[in-house]
Amino acid sequence: MQKLVITGGKPLRGEIRASGAKNAALPLLAASLLTEEPMVFHNLPDLADVRTMLRLLEDLGCKVTRSDHAVTIEASNITSTEASYDLVKTMRASILVLCPLVARFGKAKVSLPGGCSIGARPVDQHIKGLKALGTEVTIDHGYVSASADKLKGTLIVTDMVTVTGTENLMMAAVLAEGTTVLENAAREPEVVDLADCLNAMGAKIQGAGTDRIIIEGVEKLHGTTHTVMSDRIEVGSFLVAAVATGGKARVTHCNPRDLAVVIDKLRESGAEVTFGDDWIEAGAGKTLKAVDIRTAPYPAFPTDMQAQFMALDTIAEGAARVDETIFENRFMHVPELQRLGADITIDGHTATVRGVSRLSGAPLMATDLRASAALVIAALAADGESTVDRIYHLDRGYEKMEEKLRALGADIKRVKE
């Protein structure tokens, strides 16, 4: 087991480069199953979840060749259409291989997924959409089994906005016969990134980035080269860390448009934020003010930034209300923040944060991916030394976070217990 040892109280200053987005990379890698021709991806982040997806693709028979932050995947000799529990149990995004396998091979068997313990993430919308496309689906002994002679385009209206559901069904529809319309589709930039890649492969997708996506099925897709978009959540996390520590940092190779609501909330907190075509800079203002947060699907405030902003609110002037509307169990970082001296009360899906003058270093335990980032931010802002245990959560979504923080002047190191 590894942990981070952090001595707080040092303002972060400097410039770092954004990594590729985990939430974009995983569906893009799954899309490799849709063609027998090579797929080449650049700006691929070196993360635990990405490595798991690559192992899963290899287990299905793909040839995977990786070099630094690029990978080539050839799915010309698939030997299995079953994604086993041993791989899927560690990562919910494994469900993204379900629809590409059914679309190209007419069958798939995928273990029900695992991942972060932040609440139920049902795959019922994926299954509902597959059935509408003409697939027979059964769930037995923890596996989803699906089969279809030929997918047929149709109208699919999801009961809720689901990012992975939108991505999965989009990958099914690209090889379906006829036209598919996805209503109530997720609008996230990662969905757009996948649609751009699929279109470069020969798909015919319109409307990605809106709540109505129209897909005209094609007979076959070909290989392409695609650069993974920057990780907007990583970028937001580092900007919040800079402001929380009273510093100023610039993150490059990112898209400010993807972070409009985060920039707005940082400015509301009193931070000074500027940006250009591919960079964002945030610095602490004269006074740090508490800001209310309400999570909702894109383009509203992302649930994946809720914990980080809560950490910021713990040392801000005033009180803030944090409403979590996406996941029912995403306040697990609260007891750990309280160990640092934070004043937080929870009532159902709402947390009230009253700013304190200072946090004090303490031993901490990460409970999920974004909670890990929040604890790191709070520890950087706290007086004295903190340790963050169970950082394998952090490694699922942040590439070498401690190295980037050290480049900004943080006193942080990774140690083995």
Side-chain angles (χ1 to χ4, degrees):
M1 298 288 287
Q2 296 180 329
K3 63 182 178 181
L4 294 177
V5 179
I6 302 168
T7 301
K10 295 186 176 182
L12 301 184
R13 299 189 186 279
E15 179 178 299
I16 55 173
R17 175 175 177 152
S19 298
K22 172 183 83 86
N23 290 339
L26 298 178
L28 287 167
L29 293 175
S32 299
L33 294 167
L34 290 166
T35 178
E36 61 182 16
E37 296 182 13
M39 294 286 294
V40 180
F41 297 104
H42 294 286
N43 199 37
L44 191 71
D46 185 14
L47 300 170
D49 276 9
V50 170
R51 293 191 290 272
T52 297
M53 180 62 83
L54 291 175
R55 286 197 301 272
L56 174 56
L57 293 175
E58 287 180 316
D59 197 52
L60 296 173
C62 293
K63 180 182 178 183
V64 176
T65 306
R66 186 162 188 181
S67 175
D68 193 23
H69 288 80
V71 66
T72 300
I73 302 172
E74 296 180 58
S76 56
N77 294 302
I78 295 299
T79 56
S80 173
T81 55
E82 180 176 331
S84 69
Y85 172 73
D86 287 341
L87 283 171
V88 174
K89 67 180 179 181
T90 63
M91 185 182 68
R92 177 181 177 268
S94 303
I95 196 67
L96 286 164
V97 303
L98 175 65
C99 287
L101 287 172
V102 175
R104 183 171 161 211
F105 300 102
K107 61 179 180 177
K109 184 178 180 181
V110 180
S111 173
L112 289 170
C116 277
S117 54
I118 57 172
R121 297 185 178 195
V123 297
D124 57 326
Q125 299 305 303
H126 306 235
I127 294 170
K128 173 186 175 181
L130 268 179
K131 287 181 176 179
L133 289 165
T135 307
E136 292 186 8
V137 184
T138 60
I139 300 177
D140 195 27
H141 300 294
Y143 278 82
V144 179
S145 296
S147 62
D149 292 332
K150 181 64 178 178
L151 299 179
K152 305 284 187 179
T154 188
L155 170 65
I156 300 173
V157 184
T158 56
D159 298 328
M160 56 185 288
V161 177
T162 162
V163 177
T164 53
T166 298
E167 293 165 341
N168 226 348
L169 295 173
M170 196 160 57
M171 288 190 284
V174 291
L175 292 180
E177 188 178 281
T179 301
T180 299
V181 179
L182 298 180
E183 295 279 9
N184 200 28
R187 301 164 60 185
E188 271 72 1
E190 293 80 9
V191 173
V192 178
D193 202 32
L194 176 61
D196 288 344
C197 179
L198 292 171
N199 282 337
M201 296 168 68
K204 297 179 179 180
I205 302 172
Q206 295 180 326
T210 75
D211 59 5
R212 188 172 193 260
I213 301 176
I214 302 171
I215 306 114
E216 183 183 340
V218 298
E219 187 174 335
K220 189 176 183 180
L221 296 178
H222 55 75
T224 192
T225 298
H226 184 82
T227 300
V228 180
M229 65 173 282
S230 61
D231 193 326
R232 60 194 174 99
I233 304 303
E234 182 204 48
V235 174
S237 298
F238 281 111
L239 295 176
V240 169
V243 174
T245 59
K248 183 177 184 180
R250 175 178 292 201
V251 184
T252 66
H253 295 80
C254 62
N255 188 344
R257 292 186 299 276
D258 295 340
L259 284 148
V261 67
V262 172
I263 290 172
D264 182 63
K265 284 296 178 180
L266 280 171
R267 285 175 169 166
E268 188 180 330
S269 77
E272 298 176 356
V273 185
T274 56
F275 57 86
D277 290 339
D278 64 350
W279 59 269
I280 309 174
E281 185 173 272
K286 294 180 180 179
T287 303
L288 182 60
K289 304 172 185 176
V291 292
D292 294 335
I293 298 296
R294 179 179 176 82
T295 66
Y298 188 87
F301 192 89
T303 180
D304 280 354
M305 283 299 302
Q306 176 256 107
Q308 297 91 313
F309 263 82
M310 186 183 289
L312 187 66
D313 279 337
T314 63
I315 52 172
E317 285 189 2
R321 176 187 173 108
V322 179
D323 292 310
E324 175 57 57
T325 72
I326 307 296
F327 296 120
E328 73 275 12
N329 196 25
R330 207 165 199 178
F331 285 150
M332 291 189 292
H333 47 280
V334 169
E336 301 303 302
L337 290 174
Q338 289 171 334
R339 290 174 58 79
L340 295 166
D343 183 353
I344 308 172
T345 56
I346 299 176
D347 182 10
H349 299 299
T350 299
T352 301
V353 187
R354 298 174 180 84
V356 297
S357 60
R358 60 186 287 273
L359 300 175
S360 299
L364 305 168
M365 183 176 293
T367 53
D368 63 70
L369 171 55
R370 304 307 171 184
S372 305
L375 298 184
V376 170
I377 291 169
L380 289 168
D383 294 337
E385 184 177 280
S386 299
T387 57
V388 182
D389 285 306
R390 296 175 66 182
I391 59 171
Y392 57 84
H393 289 295
L394 193 74
D395 293 337
R396 290 184 53 235
Y398 292 89
E399 181 178 0
K400 300 177 181 177
M401 187 183 205
E402 73 278 8
E403 293 184 15
K404 291 187 176 184
L405 287 170
R406 276 200 299 272
L408 296 175
D411 186 342
I412 180 172
K413 60 184 177 181
R414 180 184 294 247
V415 299
K416 290 185 177 181
E417 294 185 278

